[in-house]
Amino acid sequence: MNERADLNQPSFSIAAVERDTGLPKDTLRVWEKRYNFPQPQRDAYGERVYPIDQVEKLRIIKRLLDGGHRPGKIIGLSIEELVRISEVSSAGARLNVAADSLDELNGYMELVKRHDAEEFRQTMSRLALTMGLRRFVVEVVAPLNTMVGDAWARGYFEIFEEHIYTETIQVVLRNALNTIPSARKGPRVLLTTLPNELHGLGLLMAECIFTMEGAQCVSLGTQTPIYDIVLAARAQSIDIVALSFSVVQSSPSTLDAISELREKLPPQVEIWCGGASTALRKRASEQFLLLHTLDSIAESISDWRARNPHRGPNA
């Protein structure tokens, strides 16, 4: 505290630090006493001045505080540790996940990374039971999918680890689905993916939400030829064909395939599409309903029932 400022190193007055970081002067003084950081030096007049490295750390701390972190948990960390947390928090902002929830999600990721598959399965099963299937899918599985994909893309997850995650979540979701009584409210929904779409987890997540909304679901799994989708829709008296698309299905041919399916389906059968494909969002279409999020399924089901008051499983 009594150390003289090094004139060869850039430093900032407390007023300048307040302007630069957005941290009030009083907060800086409280942290100085409570957490022993920052540790200002003194200029020739005995006034507080802050070295540039401390100011840089304060900038990162301020960003983390804005993201929901608590000062007592982060002030004592090194700049390197704070930068890593900041990177994770940026992912949390992109996922629209609070800091505390992001910490929990990272903990689940580490179970997979430690290859503790049984603990991961038990944890996911417990969450599905205690949170309820809808919240579990939206608040846990959806952001975890994105995080696992990011981890694989940057080389943190191996392919086999991503597969362990996917297979475990599928088992948990199917077990949860089996506990839901069969609904009779309609609509009847056929769930599948088009040929060359291998990813089925998004399809299963959608099935969970549809089922929770009282829809009667018939799942064909992945990669169903268009002609067979049409046959199944007719045989099962389907009201809605729900298709899932991953980010790999982002070429113009995706829209061409949907157009072909639309031409072959009976006109009263609607097509609903969801997933990460950018092709679905590039061009608005009257041929299908775009489900932007899993949460939008509930509103879309409600709208369908309002448009079709006399249609249902027994109509």
Side-chain angles (χ1 to χ4, degrees):
M1 178 67 180
N2 295 322
E3 183 180 352
R4 289 289 180 179
D6 184 350
L7 298 179
N8 295 319
Q9 295 294 326
S11 57
F12 297 78
S13 69
I14 192 169
V17 173
E18 181 181 49
R19 289 193 301 271
D20 185 278
T21 66
L23 293 167
K25 299 175 186 177
D26 290 342
T27 297
L28 295 172
R29 295 189 185 101
V30 169
W31 287 359
E32 182 182 330
K33 294 179 180 179
R34 182 176 298 172
Y35 303 117
N36 199 32
F37 182 85
Q39 296 178 329
Q41 299 170 347
R42 295 286 180 172
D43 63 12
Y45 303 98
E47 300 293 335
R48 288 179 173 83
V49 290
Y50 298 80
I52 183 63
D53 59 337
Q54 293 190 31
V55 177
E56 290 176 350
K57 181 174 177 177
L58 287 168
R59 290 169 183 159
I60 301 173
I61 289 173
K62 180 60 166 61
R63 289 201 301 270
L64 292 174
L65 293 179
D66 291 342
H69 291 271
R70 299 174 184 173
K73 292 186 176 182
I74 60 175
I75 288 179
L77 301 178
S78 67
I79 288 183
E80 291 75 15
E81 291 170 321
L82 291 171
V83 168
R84 284 196 293 271
I85 294 174
S86 181
E87 290 173 348
V88 171
S89 295
S90 296
R94 179 166 57 87
L95 296 168
N96 195 26
V97 173
D100 289 346
S101 296
L102 190 60
D103 289 341
E104 294 178 358
L105 293 171
N106 278 308
Y108 308 147
M109 292 270 290
E110 288 307 307
L111 288 176
V112 179
K113 189 62 184 175
R114 295 202 308 263
H115 306 154
D116 198 343
E118 181 59 23
E119 178 64 21
F120 179 67
R121 184 192 64 79
Q122 291 181 5
T123 300
M124 294 297 101
S125 297
R126 183 171 61 253
L127 288 173
L129 180 63
T130 57
M131 296 177 68
L133 184 56
R134 186 195 310 274
R135 284 188 59 211
F136 174 67
V137 169
V138 173
E139 298 178 19
V140 176
V141 180
L144 271 181
N145 284 354
T146 301
M147 294 170 69
V148 169
D150 289 346
W152 177 82
R154 69 174 187 268
Y156 182 67
F157 263 28
E158 302 294 341
I159 291 178
F160 82 89
E161 292 167 334
E162 188 272 339
H163 285 185
I164 288 174
Y165 164 79
T166 299
E167 292 301 315
T168 301
I169 294 296
Q170 286 179 336
V171 168
V172 171
L173 293 182
R174 292 195 186 282
N175 288 340
L177 273 173
N178 289 335
T179 66
I180 302 174
S182 177
R184 302 296 299 174
K185 294 190 295 182
R188 289 182 60 81
V189 180
L190 182 72
L191 296 107
T192 189
T193 71
L194 295 177
N196 300 319
E197 176 56 79
L198 297 170
H199 296 81
L201 183 53
L203 194 69
L204 182 57
M205 293 164 63
E207 182 179 355
C208 290
I209 304 300
F210 274 113
T211 302
M212 294 298 295
E213 289 301 317
Q216 286 192 306
C217 294
V218 178
S219 179
L220 301 182
T222 60
Q223 300 196 88
T224 304
I226 289 176
Y227 182 65
D228 288 285
I229 295 175
V230 175
L231 289 178
R234 288 174 175 166
Q236 294 289 326
S237 301
I238 292 300
D239 300 303
I240 299 165
V241 172
L243 303 173
S244 176
F245 297 87
S246 66
V247 68
V248 298
Q249 298 292 326
S250 295
S251 68
S253 62
T254 298
L255 295 175
D256 294 338
I258 297 174
S259 296
E260 181 182 351
L261 177 61
R262 176 66 277 166
E263 291 175 0
K264 290 180 168 58
L265 282 172
Q268 74 274 14
V269 178
E270 299 183 14
I271 300 175
W272 294 7
C273 300
S277 170
T278 57
L280 301 178
R281 292 162 172 79
K282 285 181 179 178
R283 189 172 73 219
S285 175
E286 296 181 354
Q287 296 178 326
F288 63 89
L289 172 68
L290 178 58
L291 300 171
H292 292 277
T293 65
L294 289 166
D295 282 329
S296 64
I297 292 176
E299 182 178 355
S300 298
I301 289 284
S302 178
D303 290 344
W304 182 91
R305 289 187 177 126
R307 295 195 311 270
N308 302 276
H310 302 299
R311 284 171 63 186
N314 298 317

